[in-house]
Amino acid sequence: MIDIQQIHHVAYRCRDAKETVEWYQDKLNMEFLVAIAEDRVPSTKAPDPYMHLFLDAGNGNILAFFELPNSPEMGRDPNTPEWVQHIAFRVADEAALLSAKAQLESKGVEVIGPTEHGIIRSIYFFDPNGHRLELTYVKGTPEQMRQLKEVAPAMVEEWSKTKRAPKHAAWLHEEEFQALD
């Protein structure tokens, strides 16, 4: 049986390795851990030089990037809205979230939010590579989290048949959407 203990790292592409390291150090206070550069890809043996960066995202989590100078310029999937693919980092509480927002804005980063999600509250912004980032804190109670876990299988089953939002957890955004009506 496979026993996954944690995510070691997630890797994304970057336009410029140095700019990316400096941005994450300056804006999110991440420690630069490791750089690996090769002229051939170890897994495929393809001749494709790269710079692979590893940054400390806290608690043993690592955010990694590849700069690929011989590949076409990076872009986004034009069929996926920019809000879908993102990296979310957890902060301690609302005070930490609001402080982070103020710090980011003072460094010239455009920030959306805070946005209410019922069990979490988040802010959103982009890194210099166009990757959407989220800072969030968990405000849901253990009971709310238990309820969500309990209805998750039924929600996916209903979604798979109807492709319409199941209402099992509509309470997450009820107040927000009532204000819009």
Side-chain angles (χ1 to χ4, degrees):
M1 175 179 270
I2 296 174
D3 180 24
I4 294 175
Q5 297 178 9
Q6 77 176 78
I7 292 174
H8 180 270
H9 70 275
V10 293
Y12 291 83
R13 187 164 173 203
C14 67
R15 294 182 180 115
D16 182 286
K18 185 174 189 284
E19 174 189 48
T20 298
V21 167
E22 290 171 352
W23 192 92
Y24 278 87
Q25 287 176 318
D26 179 53
K27 306 299 190 277
L28 295 178
N29 198 32
M30 287 189 183
E31 183 181 358
F32 181 31
L33 299 173
V34 175
I36 298 171
E38 301 286 345
D39 289 321
R40 290 187 174 273
V41 179
S43 59
T44 67
K45 309 301 184 235
D48 195 5
Y50 65 86
M51 171 59 73
H52 195 18
L53 313 167
F54 296 82
L55 296 144
D56 184 349
N59 292 316
N61 298 292
I62 298 171
L63 179 60
F65 291 94
F66 282 96
E67 182 179 345
L68 306 170
N70 292 343
S71 292
E73 188 174 320
M74 63 182 275
R76 293 189 336 88
D77 173 2
N79 298 318
T80 301
E82 67 181 11
W83 57 267
V84 172
Q85 295 175 340
H86 63 279
I87 308 165
F89 301 102
R90 184 174 176 170
V91 296
D93 53 27
E94 184 162 12
L97 184 71
L98 297 175
S99 175
K101 178 181 181 183
Q103 290 175 51
L104 288 163
E105 290 175 336
S106 76
K107 294 178 178 186
V109 177
E110 187 176 321
V111 179
I112 297 170
T115 300
E116 179 62 44
H117 296 292
I119 57 168
I120 63 171
R121 187 168 288 142
S122 304
I123 60 173
Y124 300 92
F125 50 98
F126 290 88
D127 80 357
N129 305 295
H131 300 303
R132 190 175 202 221
L133 305 178
E134 173 183 359
L135 296 183
T136 191
Y137 79 93
V138 177
K139 62 187 207 103
T141 66
E143 176 60 20
Q144 289 173 319
M145 303 308 284
R146 185 198 62 72
Q147 288 175 0
L148 289 171
K149 183 175 182 180
E150 188 177 288
V151 299
M155 290 178 69
V156 170
E157 187 63 32
E158 183 177 328
W159 175 266
S160 72
K161 293 174 183 169
T162 67
K163 300 300 183 208
R164 293 176 190 247
K167 302 301 180 200
H168 301 71
W171 55 268
L172 282 171
H173 292 105
E174 280 177 347
E175 290 179 25
E176 179 185 345
F177 289 126
Q178 285 173 357
L180 294 175
D181 290 338

